[in-house]
Amino acid sequence: MLSLYGTEIASRLLLGTAQYPSPAILTAAAKASGTEIVTVSLRRESAGGASGGRFWSLIRELGVRILPNTAGCHTVKEAVTTARMAREVFATDWIKLEVIGNHDTLQPDVFALVEAARILTDEGFAVFPYTTEDLVVAERLLEAGCKVLMPWCAPIGSATGPENIRALRSLRAHFPDTPLIVDAGLGRPSQAAEVMELGFDAVLLNTAVARAGDPARMAAAFAKAVEAGHNAFHAGLVEPRDTAVPSTPVIGQAVFS
């Protein structure tokens, strides 16, 4: 089980709810993924009047936990205000904190992120910060009161997979007791398995599932990949070698002359 702010979660796959072709396809994908947590943007839920209300009804019918996010925020004030509004709308202290610093890469503004995280944790929020794989930033976020970190492995929606394996491995090693959820940049189930094999606790996906030809089938594939990677890490992976190692013992073989 995965423990997030005192809540036990069985599924290690978190799912975003944007960009799906239709509500029915979103519902099918969420069910196929087995997820217990979905992220929802306050701006999406509030937009469009009646359509926003129908979307919120659909999310509630999924029977999963809601993780509101501050997607699209670029300043501390904007992110904090959005988080406060999300707490009122969704009736939860959980918040995925995003403070975007670059329009092209959607890279987090880590300075503003730490400041906003400190404000929100002081107000009783359970903050899930979308951050980079930087060790110093991770330290500052933990000092600010965060108990979960959500590092990216590549820019949002890029589907390139982990671009800095060494940094991700280092992050895992430096914070062995902190839940780490890879957020953003995964495009294939094999990439999800790869980061889980590094010892990460979960992954959050959106584009890779929502934009797939068959979102429900892709969601199921990611669920299996995440589970496989998690089990492989805890089973104990064999380290790569530069030389061959015979699987059949040489000692004791019969000698023919």
Side-chain angles (χ1 to χ4, degrees):
M1 298 287 285
L2 174 60
S3 180
L4 301 173
Y5 286 101
T7 298
E8 299 294 318
I9 304 296
S11 173
R12 293 175 183 272
L13 175 60
L14 288 66
L15 203 63
T17 56
Q19 305 181 52
Y20 287 84
S22 72
I25 292 175
L26 166 58
T27 299
K31 291 181 178 179
S33 73
T35 188
E36 296 175 45
I37 301 174
V38 298
T39 62
V40 177
S41 169
L42 175 65
R43 299 180 184 210
R44 174 179 172 82
E45 195 279 334
S46 301
S51 63
R54 288 195 295 271
F55 176 76
W56 179 219
S57 296
L58 181 153
I59 296 300
R60 284 184 294 187
E61 289 171 2
L62 291 176
V64 296
R65 185 155 191 138
I66 307 299
L67 176 59
N69 68 47
T70 62
C73 293
H74 291 79
T75 67
V76 172
K77 181 178 180 180
E78 190 179 13
V80 170
T81 300
T82 302
R84 290 167 178 164
M85 292 173 63
R87 179 158 59 182
E88 294 298 321
V89 171
F90 299 108
T92 179
D93 290 328
W94 281 23
I95 190 74
K96 179 190 170 190
L97 180 61
E98 297 183 27
V99 187
I100 302 302
N102 184 278
H103 291 282
D104 295 326
T105 65
L106 300 181
Q107 180 170 331
D109 178 341
V110 295
F111 305 100
L113 180 68
V114 172
E115 183 180 348
R118 184 172 290 110
I119 293 170
L120 292 174
T121 54
D122 286 345
E123 294 183 6
F125 281 89
V127 178
F128 293 69
Y130 163 61
T131 183
T132 64
E133 68 275 59
D134 186 277
L135 293 177
V136 176
V137 175
E139 285 278 11
R140 297 294 180 268
L141 288 168
L142 294 177
E143 290 170 1
C146 298
K147 296 181 180 179
V148 175
L149 299 176
M150 302 185 76
W152 72 346
C153 72
I156 293 174
S158 65
T160 59
E163 295 185 347
N164 194 338
I165 289 291
R166 184 173 181 177
L168 291 173
R169 184 178 286 114
S170 180
L171 191 68
R172 177 73 282 176
H174 276 77
F175 306 104
D177 300 320
T178 300
L180 300 179
I181 302 172
V182 171
D183 176 19
L186 294 173
R188 299 172 182 272
S190 58
Q191 295 166 353
E194 184 178 9
V195 295
M196 292 299 289
E197 287 176 358
L198 296 176
F200 282 81
D201 297 286
V203 300
L204 171 59
L205 305 165
N206 193 153
T207 305
V209 172
R211 293 292 184 89
D214 185 339
R217 190 169 186 176
M218 185 62 76
F222 267 107
K224 292 177 181 178
V226 167
E227 182 179 3
H230 174 73
N231 288 337
F233 173 78
H234 288 282
L237 294 161
V238 175
E239 293 298 320
R241 294 173 58 100
D242 293 329
T243 59
V245 178
S247 57
T248 302
V250 175
I251 298 175
Q253 284 186 335
V255 177
F256 299 96
S257 56

